[in-house]
Amino acid sequence: MLRRHVTGQAKPSAQEILDRLEVWGQKFGLDAIRDLLGALGDPQQGVPTILVAGTNGKGSTSAALASLLTAAGFRCGLYTSPHLEHVEERLRIDGVAITEAELGRHLRRVLDAAGSAPPTYFESLTAAAWLHFAAHRVDVAVFEVGLGGRLDATNVSEPVLSVITQIARDHAQQLGWTLTSIAGEKAGVMRPGRKCLTWRPAPAVQRELNRCAAVCGAELVDAGAEVEIHDQVENQPHLSLGTPSARYTFRAPLAGNHQLTNLALAVRAAEEFCALFARKLDAEAAGQGLEGVRWPGRLEWVEIETSTGPRRVLFDAAHNPAGAAALRSYLDEVGIEFDLLYGALNDKQPEQCLSLLAERANRIVLTAPDHGRAMSPEALLPLLKTRNAVAETDAGSALERCLATANDPSRSLVVTGSLYLVGEVRSVLRANYGAPAAARDLVTGYSR
């Protein structure tokens, strides 16, 4: 039995299984996941699926789309990656995370079905997600693509609709060094005769997506050319979003102008999915769905009470140059004074990201997330050149240094550079100050 071989026990927990599977690293290709799902009875075939690919914004778009579909009356599964603090965050139904016990049961089934060839960490979770959604008879499941699209394990399904968010340079070693090559990999989620929604791609990306759509026979739709976004309605703190089908009014649930395009793209995807069932997305329900979206770790404000008074902490992954630029734009927009706690992985172009954010920061503390590819804070120091910064190897110590009494309580603290760092610091903050709530305990969208 593979699960006993992998874990050393007959009934291992979800975390014990995944901890041992991590040694197998990443694997790109669909043969192994197809065989695994076949051994499990192909649960993905009974679950209508929407695939969401892209470089930045795909998680926010997926969460918003799932919330919209739940509000519209569908029982909706959501599969995202990576997680912030607990792996259960990745699998949700109507915004509620899977329990640890249920995830363990699904993963043990996966290992039993795998035979003598251990699946990867991501393949195992992806298979478990389809088992979970099939067992609960969801009407639709929104799957955020892990990496790329064409060879990602999520792409073994036959999506009824595909979405491609902003494409930027990231994961170059796996996807290629040009926007064209990256776009070609993302376009692997397209399907013949079915729609794929995008949002105002750059010219080079648009050309490649057009080419790929023509080759496979997909219908590529630029949602950005169809949607109007108005920042305010009659001097109230509401947004108005108009599509070819309807107008939606709602309070923006996520901070940052770049999130408006993710919400708009999710609305158009929800409209298209409803149309497949000869239904129209109800404007009132859509507004409720949008206002219910929660996506922790992405422009997430947390207020805590320290020994020196109240402090505001802003969490944002901003793990690549495009994400750092979006965060910088938001910080410029709100015009706050802030200190910076930064840590990054060594393959995420920290030389571009850090300098962009450090220009606006007062104090800077550099640290390293608890990850094998983390860049040491001492290696980050030279990237700042003339800026005064300090290095703390441990993220918890770095946080306490940022919140020390010598700091100005009126300044905000921005924690960024890596989703792994955000999750780690978020956990430490909760342990020491009682906030924020664990991400797995948050209902990430509209819930019936």
Side-chain angles (χ1 to χ4, degrees), residues 25-38:
Q26 293 178 319
K27 184 196 307 176
F28 298 104
L30 303 182
D31 291 343
I33 187 68
R34 281 198 183 104
D35 291 344
L36 177 58
L37 289 169

Side-chain angles (χ1 to χ4, degrees), residues 150-309:
R150 183 175 64 91
L151 299 177
D152 189 78
T154 60
N155 201 35
V156 74
S157 66
E158 287 301 320
V160 297
L161 179 69
S162 303
V163 178
I164 299 177
T165 66
Q166 181 195 24
I167 292 178
R169 289 181 177 86
D170 201 2
H171 299 292
Q173 291 184 334
Q174 295 92 350
L175 306 180
W177 296 92
T178 67
L179 286 179
T180 298
S181 63
I182 295 170
E185 291 295 320
K186 308 286 187 187
V189 301
M190 296 179 183
R191 292 296 187 273
R194 294 177 179 172
K195 289 187 178 182
C196 176
L197 303 182
T198 65
W199 188 275
R200 297 176 184 166
V205 171
Q206 181 74 69
R207 287 192 295 271
E208 180 62 11
L209 294 180
N210 286 338
R211 186 191 69 80
C212 293
V215 169
C216 82
E219 182 182 350
L220 187 66
V221 178
D222 179 4
E226 301 177 330
V227 177
E228 295 180 352
I229 302 174
H230 302 283
D231 290 341
Q232 208 171 43
V233 179
E234 297 178 355
N235 297 317
Q236 298 297 315
H238 287 76
L239 297 169
S240 175
L241 189 155
T243 74
S245 301
R247 183 169 294 278
Y248 307 91
T249 301
F250 58 97
R251 288 177 180 268
L254 304 174
N257 287 330
H258 61 286
Q259 292 287 16
L260 300 183
T261 61
N262 297 329
L263 296 173
L265 185 55
V267 168
R268 282 293 293 117
E271 287 181 335
E272 292 292 348
F273 181 80
C274 287
L276 294 175
F277 296 86
R279 292 175 53 177
K280 184 176 180 180
L281 181 63
D282 179 75
E284 183 178 351
Q288 293 173 345
L290 288 169
E291 291 185 3
V293 178
R294 301 292 180 268
W295 199 229
R298 289 78 167 179
L299 290 183
E300 177 191 23
W301 282 104
V302 176
E303 295 189 5
I304 60 171
E305 189 70 34
T306 72
S307 59
T308 59

Side-chain angles (χ1 to χ4, degrees), residues 59-71:
S60 303
T61 303
S62 298
L65 175 54
S67 185
L68 282 160
L69 293 177
T70 296

